[in-house]
């Protein structure tokens, strides 16, 4: 067996960031930027009013209560620029400031002294007005020529909103890695509603992996099941590769049993087995290989939590590298209670991050850590990672905490939940 850190280095060495493609902004949600975005305009694009009121020329001076102004014009949002002169202008929120005017007094802070045809023509201030108040200046948010996003950032709704506001209609994004999921085992039943015969189980690993891969930025181009047969396995592998798969993830048939045929089948195809078995739990029999065409193959164990660990801690780092994402940030939180762990193995435990009445965070490793248990997957909101040294992690020890997927923030839970 090799250590997790050694395995991870092999994985990252085998992965090269993918090329870029150009997409309309409205089609680029969740995609990773391939290059920096430099704004071609200022935001706001012109000085404008932050509220409904009256714009004035303060020029650095403070106006006292009772000061009167003749109203020389009216400016609504969408009106073109106008020369302001020396008097006041009635102005609406978002309207362009008349040239030369630099201050806005809210409508509720003035007295209307005279009006004509429903429009005020003379006003008086109710209180002191400071120069520059209630004006949103050109470029106050974004400057022309400013780098607003960097390569490697994911285009979430906030990023896309900003890009739309500064007039970016098309973006260069990293191509999505193409993946295939193969579930092995003659006992597997694909349809959830299908009645099980004796010895059969439902194929829950495949939909789980497909969902996680898609959330992590991959495009799943092929998925299916295959029995414990080398010829059938080679046939579905050919289908997956023909669909363009660059990463292939299988579950089952990688341990040391009579029907664990995947390692030999891969060798028979000319694949290079990079490693087989890692000093982790769960998921120790995990296999990683490179196929003759350069596709990356992950052979995950068949138990559901072992498959989940393989996807989370082996496949996802490779996806991050392919997409040009920065290494994942992790938390360090204290354990709420002692945790027994297998000595010499890196332990990936389902856990809950909790917050106490004083707002302090801690991580609680759940009971029922066996790799067949799905209920603890439902109850967990994070992974706790305990390194290989020792067989006991004591309460209060800071431990590594990671989200359920690298795209998922750690969700907090109260201790009572």
């Amino acid at each position: 067996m090799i250590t997790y850190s050694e395995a991870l280095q092999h994985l990252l060495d085998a992965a090269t960031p993918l090329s870029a493609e150009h997409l309309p902004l409205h089609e680029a949600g969740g995609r990773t930027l391939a290059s920096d975005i430099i704004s071609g305009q200022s935001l706001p694009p012109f000085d404008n009013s932050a509220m409904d009121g009256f714009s004035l020329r303060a020029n650095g001076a403070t106006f006292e209560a009772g000061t009167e102004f003749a109203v020389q014009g009216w400016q609504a949002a969408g009106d073109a620029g106008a020369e302001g002169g020396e008097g006041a202008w009635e102005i609406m929120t978002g309207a362009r400031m008349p040239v030369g005017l630099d201050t806005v007094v809210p409508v509720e802070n003035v007295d209307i002294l005279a009006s004509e045809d429903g429009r005020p023509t003379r006003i008086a201030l109710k209180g002191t007005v400071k120069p520059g108040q209630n004006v949103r200046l050109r470029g106050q948010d974004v400057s022309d020529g400013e780098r607003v996003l960097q390569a490697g950032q994911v285009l979430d709704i906030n990023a896309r909103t900003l890009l739309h506001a500064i007039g970016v209609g098309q973006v260069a994004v990293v191509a999505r890695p193409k993946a295939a999921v193969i579930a092995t085992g003659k006992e597997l039943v694909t349809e959830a509603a299908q009645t099980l015969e004796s010895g059969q189980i439902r194929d829950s690993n495949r939909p789980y992996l497909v969902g996680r891969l898609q959330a992590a930025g991959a495009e799943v181009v092929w998925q299916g099941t295959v029995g414990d047969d080398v010829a059938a396995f080679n046939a579905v592998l050919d289908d997956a590769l023909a669909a363009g798969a660059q990463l292939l993830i299988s579950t089952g048939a990688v341990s040391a049993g009579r029907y664990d045929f995947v390692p030999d089948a891969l060798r028979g195809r000319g694949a290079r087995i990079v490693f087989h078995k890692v000093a982790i739990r769960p998921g120790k029999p995990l296999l990683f290989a490179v196929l003759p065409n350069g596709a990356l193959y992950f052979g995950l164990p068949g138990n559901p939590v072992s498959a989940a660990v393989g996807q989370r801690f082996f496949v996802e780092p490779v996806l991050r590298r392919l997409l040009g994402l920065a290494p994942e940030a992790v938390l360090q939180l204290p354990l709420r209670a002692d945790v027994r762990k297998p000595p010499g193995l890196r332990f990936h435990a389902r856990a809950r991050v909790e917050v106490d009445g004083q707002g302090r965070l801690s991580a609680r490793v759940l009971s029922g850590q066996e790799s067949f248990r799905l209920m603890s997957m439902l109850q967990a909101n994070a992974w706790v990672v305990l390194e290989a040294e020792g067989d006991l992690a004591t309460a209060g020890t800071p431990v590594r905490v990671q989200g359920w997927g690298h795209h998922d923030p750690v969700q907090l839970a109260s201790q009572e939940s």
Side-chain angles (χ1 to χ4, degrees), residues 73-97:
W74 302 269
Q75 189 81 340
D79 288 350
E83 291 292 332
E86 294 298 328
W89 281 62
E90 186 179 17
I91 195 165
M92 304 301 138
T93 302
R96 185 170 189 145
M97 292 288 290

Side-chain angles (χ1 to χ4, degrees), residues 51-54 105-112 124-127 134:
M51 57 184 59
D52 295 338
F54 293 86
V105 56
V107 66
E108 60 268 23
N109 291 349
V110 303
D111 289 318
I112 307 299
L125 303 181
K126 290 183 178 180
N134 303 318

Side-chain angles (χ1 to χ4, degrees), residues 54 64-71 88 107 109-116 118-126:
F54 293 86
E64 300 300 330
T67 307
E68 296 185 12
F69 297 89
V71 179
V107 66
N109 291 349
V110 303
D111 289 318
I112 307 299
L113 303 179
S115 60
E116 183 178 324
R119 290 184 178 272
T121 57
R122 191 165 188 82
I123 62 170
L125 303 181
K126 290 183 178 180

Side-chain angles (χ1 to χ4, degrees), residues 352 354 364 413-417:
R352 285 179 71 78
E354 299 176 334
R364 176 168 61 90
S414 68
Q415 291 183 6
E416 292 75 26
S417 61

Side-chain angles (χ1 to χ4, degrees), residues 174-193:
V174 181
R176 294 174 67 187
K178 293 179 169 58
V181 178
I182 305 166
T184 72
K186 67 178 182 180
E187 74 277 16
L188 297 179
V189 170
T190 300
E191 298 299 325

